[in-house]
Amino acid sequence: MYLFQFSNEEMLTFFAVLVRYSVLFALIPFVGDRFVPAPVKVLLALSVTMVAFPQLVHTGVVNVEAAKAWGASVSGITTTLGLEALFGLTLAFVARLTFDAIVFGANLSGHFMGFAAASSYDPHQETQTQVVAEVQLALAMMLFLAIDGHHLLIRSTIDSYGTVGIGAFQVTKSFAQVLIKMTADVITFGVQIAAPVAVSLFAVNVAFGVMSKAMPQLNVLVLSFAVTALVGLLVLGLGLPEFQAGVKEIYVRGFEWLEAAKRTIGQGV
C-alpha cells in the first residue's frame, strides 16, 4: 500500500475511515465549533486518517479485504458509510456530554447569581449562555488541552476500531441504558458544580430575609442584586481548585463513557 497507489478496496476502506473522523471532528467541542473554518476541520480529519489508516491496516484492526463484500454494490457502500457516520456522531455526542455537564452547572451558578438577563451568544454551544458559563467553559477547555485530552480522544477513536469495525455500528439495548446513565450523570455533575454557589447564596437570601423583617425600611431587592453577584464571584474565585478537581473527574468519567459506548455497541446486544 503506497500513497496515491491504493487499490479499490483500500480506497473504499480509507474513505470509510475518513467518514468516521470527519463526522467526529465536525461535532466535537472546540474543533467542531462554528467559528473554526470548515477547511480546517476537513484537513484535520484527512490528516488524522492518513496517519491512522496504515496503522489500522498493519495491525489487522481494519480488514481491507472486507471491502470486497460491502463495496460490491451502491447500497452496500451507502449503508456502510452511513453507519460510519452514525458511529462518528455517537462518539461526538458522548464527548459533548462531558462539556454539557460543565455548561449546565455554570449556567445554574449564573442563574443563582442573577446573571440570567446578562446572556450572550456562545459559539461553542451555538446558543445564548451566561457570562459565568463562558468563563468556566474556557477554563475547562484549557484544562482539557493541558491534560492532553485531545490526544486521548483521538487515541480512543483509533481504538474504537477494535470493538466496532467498519459498518458494524448498531444501536443496542445496552447502549440505550448507558446513554440514560450518561444523561443522569450530566445532571448530577452540573448540580455538583453549582452546589457551592447555590449553598452560599441560599445563606445570603436567608440573611436578607432576616434583615427585611428586622429593618422593613431596607430595600432588600435592590441590595440583593449586588450582594449575590459579589458573593457568587467570590465563591467561584475561592473554589477554583475544587472546580479544577471536579472538571478532571468529569473528564475521567467522559472517557469512561466513551469506552462504555464502544463496548456496548460492539457487543451487539
Side-chain angles (χ1 to χ4, degrees):
M1 179 180 62
Y2 299 97
L3 188 63
F4 306 123
Q5 294 182 6
F6 285 171
S7 64
N8 292 335
E9 291 76 17
E10 289 172 341
M11 184 63 70
L12 288 172
T13 307
F14 178 85
F15 191 70
V17 175
L18 178 62
V19 167
R20 181 179 295 194
Y21 279 109
S22 298
V23 175
L24 178 69
F25 287 126
L27 298 175
I28 59 175
F30 187 69
V31 177
D33 293 340
R34 181 174 294 180
F35 64 84
V36 177
V40 174
K41 301 176 185 178
V42 174
L43 289 176
L44 181 59
L46 183 60
S47 300
V48 173
T49 303
M50 292 183 66
V51 172
F53 182 70
Q55 178 186 357
L56 294 173
V57 175
H58 178 72
T59 56
V61 177
V62 171
N63 184 13
V64 176
E65 297 300 322
K68 292 181 179 180
W70 59 264
S73 61
V74 176
S75 61
I77 296 175
T78 304
T79 302
T80 302
L81 297 182
L83 291 175
E84 286 300 293
L86 286 176
F87 185 62
L89 178 63
T90 301
L91 293 178
F93 175 74
V94 174
R96 274 198 173 272
L97 280 180
T98 304
F99 291 90
D100 286 343
I102 301 172
V103 173
F104 174 69
N107 278 317
L108 198 59
S109 299
H111 180 75
F112 290 146
M113 295 165 59
F115 290 157
S119 60
S120 60
Y121 179 75
D122 181 13
H124 296 282
Q125 302 294 320
E126 298 184 6
T127 184
Q128 294 294 321
T129 187
Q130 299 169 27
V131 63
V132 176
E134 291 274 4
V135 175
Q136 290 194 324
L137 183 60
L139 293 174
M141 186 62 69
M142 288 189 291
L143 181 61
F144 183 76
L145 297 176
I147 65 175
D148 212 21
H150 53 302
H151 289 158
L152 294 175
L153 181 60
I154 295 176
R155 179 76 259 180
S156 179
T157 56
I158 294 176
D159 294 339
S160 67
Y161 286 95
T163 53
V164 183
I166 295 178
F169 172 81
Q170 54 182 319
V171 179
T172 63
K173 181 179 179 181
S174 300
F175 174 70
Q177 294 174 349
V178 169
L179 188 61
I180 295 174
K181 181 65 168 57
M182 287 189 293
T183 306
D185 288 341
V186 167
I187 298 175
T188 301
F189 283 132
V191 173
Q192 289 175 350
I193 290 176
V197 174
V199 172
S200 59
L201 293 185
F202 177 76
V204 170
N205 289 330
V206 171
F208 275 128
V210 174
M211 292 171 60
S212 65
K213 291 297 183 182
M215 296 178 289
Q217 68 275 15
L218 183 66
N219 194 340
V220 176
L221 180 62
V222 175
L223 184 62
S224 63
F225 286 117
V227 174
T228 53
L230 179 62
V231 172
L233 293 175
L234 182 62
V235 171
L236 288 177
L238 295 176
L240 280 179
E242 287 73 19
F243 175 77
Q244 178 180 354
V247 169
K248 285 185 177 180
E249 178 62 27
I250 293 175
Y251 289 152
V252 171
R253 186 64 63 86
F255 285 110
E256 292 178 354
W257 291 344
L258 282 174
E259 295 301 321
K262 293 185 296 184
R263 184 175 61 254
T264 53
I265 292 174
Q267 288 176 349
V269 294

